């Protein structure tokens, strides 16, 4: 299904919510912690200075969240502070609880803060990359230059889910009168394959977590007269697939994108925003004119959708076990149809944007 995007106004109001909760909640806890803790059976603070310091710091994060709500145009720095503050508190709290040195009650604060780390992160992306929302919902004007009606799709698929999306995208482009070439980067590292062993899976996860780059074989294309290049990538943890990123990071591949219209296609379980942003920014740095960036998620809802992915990687087939996994892995028929329409819209985009690299060749 196409991804629902949280509107910026909702994220802003959530900042106000946590500001009120942090400020008012800490004032109440400081002055009335004794009856509240006694009623809940929570041990009273042993070190009052530490207790007050923790409350003041949490209150300060609430003030920062309030300033984010009041001045979103100047909120990026404050959002980073809020993410670090709430994230650090959540990690420390969960750690001390895990080793048995903390009562369960502070876990409520930690869970709240962990949720708002994600909310602040999403709001940060929207404030810093408002153009991504426009690229998600409409196809922008292409470059006003001779058209070859030839497109290149660069994508990588481990389990075949992305491959199905590329097939539908290709069908849509051809319906719109395009000839299409498709290439998939070939990593030198043999862990990027499916089916994979458990050790290989762990290696991929760890490398994705630290954003470790990978080496790929030189990219060769059947033609060089493309007027449209589409980059497809799944989401690995919270970023794009390493083999696809390797294509965009290699300076020698800039020739594939510079002075051409480009688009992004993200296929994922649910986390798509950072992957989409990474592709778009890479394309822009390569000199491409980005006309669209769309995302589609696996069918189903959490947590069953997440379990379906894990079970598919373990059992190598969909619907197992029946009660925990979706009967079908990956994109729905509706999503595949929408991707075909996406291809048609790219093929029929308007051509009215001036190509500055033709006027200023030194910028290319």
């Amino acid at each position: 299904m196409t991804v629902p995007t949280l509107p910026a106004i909702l994220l802003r109001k959530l900042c106000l919510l946590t500001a009120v909760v942090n400020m008012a909640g800490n004032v109440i806890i400081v002055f009335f912690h004794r009856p509240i803790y006694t009623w809940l059976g929570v041990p009273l603070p042993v070190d009052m200075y530490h207790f007050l310091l923790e409350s003041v710091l949490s209150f300060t994060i609430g003030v920062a969240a309030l300033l984010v709500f009041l001045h979103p145009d100047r909120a990026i720095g404050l959002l980073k502070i809020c993410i670090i503050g709430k994230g650090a508190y959540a990690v420390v709290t969960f750690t001390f609880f895990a080793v048995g040195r903390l009562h369960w009650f502070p876990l409520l604060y930690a869970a709240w803060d962990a949720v708002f780390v994600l909310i602040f992160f999403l709001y940060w992306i929207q404030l810093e990359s408002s153009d991504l929302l426009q690229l998600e919902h409409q196809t922008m004007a292409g470059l006003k230059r001779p058209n070859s009606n030839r497109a290149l799709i660069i994508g990588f698929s481990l389990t075949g889910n992305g491959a199905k999306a590329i097939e539908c995208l290709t069908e849509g482009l051809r319906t719109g009168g395009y000839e299409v070439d498709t290439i998939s980067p070939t990593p030198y590292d043999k862990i990027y394959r499916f089916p994979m062993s458990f050790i290989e899976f762990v290696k991929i996860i760890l490398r994705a977590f630290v954003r470790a780059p990978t080496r790929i074989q030189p990219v060769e294309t059947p033609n060089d007269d493309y007027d449209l290049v589409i980059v497809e990538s799944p989401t690995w943890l919270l970023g794009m697939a390493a083999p696809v990123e390797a294509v965009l990071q290699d300076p020698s591949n800039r020739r594939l994108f510079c002075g051409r219209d480009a688009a992004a296609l993200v296929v994922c379980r649910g986390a798509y925003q950072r992957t989409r942003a990474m592709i778009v920014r890479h394309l822009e740095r390569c000199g491409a004119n980005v006309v669209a960036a769309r995302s589609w998620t696996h069918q189903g809802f959490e947590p069953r959708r997440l379990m379906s992915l894990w079970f598919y990687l373990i059992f190598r087939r969909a619907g197992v076990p029946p009660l925990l996994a979706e009967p079908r892995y990956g994109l729905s028929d509706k999503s595949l149809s929408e991707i075909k329409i996406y291809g048609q819209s790219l093929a029929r985009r308007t051509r009215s944007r001036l190509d500055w690299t033709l006027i200023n060749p030194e910028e290319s």
Side-chain angles (χ1 to χ4, degrees):
M1 60 181 177
T2 51
V3 293
T5 303
L6 288 176
I9 188 170
L10 173 60
L11 295 173
R12 185 184 176 196
K13 288 180 178 179
L14 288 173
C15 290
L16 176 61
L17 173 63
T18 194
V20 172
V21 170
N22 271 58
M23 291 189 295
N26 279 285
V27 170
I28 292 172
I29 285 295
V30 167
F31 287 99
F32 301 102
H33 66 276
R34 186 175 295 275
I36 293 174
Y37 282 15
T38 301
W39 179 60
L40 293 173
V42 180
L44 294 174
V46 177
D47 187 340
M48 283 302 300
Y49 290 104
H50 179 271
F51 173 72
L52 290 174
L53 176 61
E54 182 180 322
S55 298
V56 169
L57 290 175
S58 181
F59 182 90
T60 303
I61 293 296
V63 173
L66 178 62
L67 293 175
V68 169
F69 171 79
L70 294 175
H71 305 288
D73 55 324
R74 304 195 298 271
I76 301 296
L78 288 172
L79 279 172
K80 294 178 181 178
I81 292 173
C82 290
I83 289 172
I84 294 172
K86 284 187 172 291
Y89 181 85
V91 169
V92 171
T93 302
F94 281 121
T95 300
F96 274 86
F97 177 79
V99 298
R101 298 181 59 185
L102 199 64
H103 192 267
W104 62 264
F105 184 67
L107 285 181
L108 300 177
Y109 306 151
W112 175 274
D113 285 352
V115 170
F116 272 89
V117 167
L118 177 60
I119 291 173
F120 288 148
F121 186 71
L122 294 176
Y123 196 31
W124 175 13
I125 291 176
Q126 290 208 12
L127 290 177
E128 201 165 54
S129 306
S130 57
D131 59 314
L132 295 179
L133 292 177
Q134 193 172 18
L135 291 171
E136 177 73 39
H137 296 291
Q138 69 182 94
T139 301
M140 310 301 292
L143 296 173
K144 190 177 182 180
R145 60 187 306 165
N147 303 321
S148 64
N149 279 3
R150 189 185 296 275
L152 173 67
I153 301 177
I154 303 172
F156 188 82
S157 177
L158 268 181
T159 62
N161 197 38
K164 291 180 182 178
I166 290 175
E167 289 176 4
C168 292
L169 183 68
T170 299
E171 186 178 350
L173 287 164
R174 286 174 176 162
T175 301
Y178 263 73
E179 296 181 29
V180 183
D181 293 325
T182 302
I183 60 174
S184 178
T186 305
Y188 286 110
D189 198 328
K190 300 302 182 183
I191 65 172
Y192 299 108
R193 60 185 179 181
F194 183 82
M196 67 189 74
S197 69
F198 178 75
I199 297 300
E200 289 171 334
F201 174 71
V202 171
K203 287 182 178 179
I204 291 176
I205 293 296
L206 292 176
R207 295 187 66 163
F209 182 76
V210 299
R211 305 307 308 165
T214 190
R215 293 175 59 248
I216 60 173
Q217 297 180 13
V219 176
E220 298 181 359
T221 59
N223 298 280
D224 59 2
D225 61 341
Y226 305 106
D227 63 51
L228 175 65
V229 181
I230 303 109
V231 176
E232 179 275 337
S233 176
T235 291
W236 289 359
L237 285 187
L238 291 176
M240 61 192 300
V244 180
E245 189 171 13
V247 175
L248 294 164
Q249 289 175 329
D250 188 345
S252 66
N253 293 328
R254 192 173 188 271
R255 58 183 173 80
L256 300 174
F257 311 102
C258 186
R260 308 179 199 264
D261 291 341
L265 169 61
V266 177
V267 176
C268 61
R269 181 185 57 79
Y272 67 92
Q273 292 204 40
R274 187 164 187 258
T275 301
R276 183 184 62 185
M278 291 173 70
I279 296 175
V280 170
R281 298 308 175 223
H282 274 304
L283 289 171
E284 290 174 341
R285 282 192 288 270
C286 289
N289 172 51
V290 183
V291 296
R294 310 270 171 89
S295 313
W296 277 267
T297 60
H298 293 194
Q299 62 183 346
F301 300 94
E302 303 298 356
R304 197 181 185 197
R305 186 168 58 183
L306 173 61
M307 291 188 292
S308 296
L309 171 62
W310 292 109
F311 288 133
Y312 187 81
L313 294 173
I314 294 170
F315 298 111
R316 303 175 186 177
R317 57 194 180 101
V320 179
L323 295 178
L324 298 178
E326 294 287 343
R328 171 173 167 174
Y329 169 76
L331 300 173
S332 65
D333 290 333
K334 180 175 182 293
S335 293
L336 294 174
S337 297
E338 290 173 348
I339 293 174
K340 179 181 176 181
I341 295 172
Y342 179 40
Q344 294 172 355
S345 71
L346 291 173
R348 296 166 181 166
R349 68 196 183 283
T350 59
R351 316 295 179 90
S352 60
R353 183 172 294 185
L354 192 61
D355 183 4
W356 286 99
T357 63
L358 298 178
I359 301 177
N360 300 298
E362 66 274 8
E363 294 185 8
S364 62

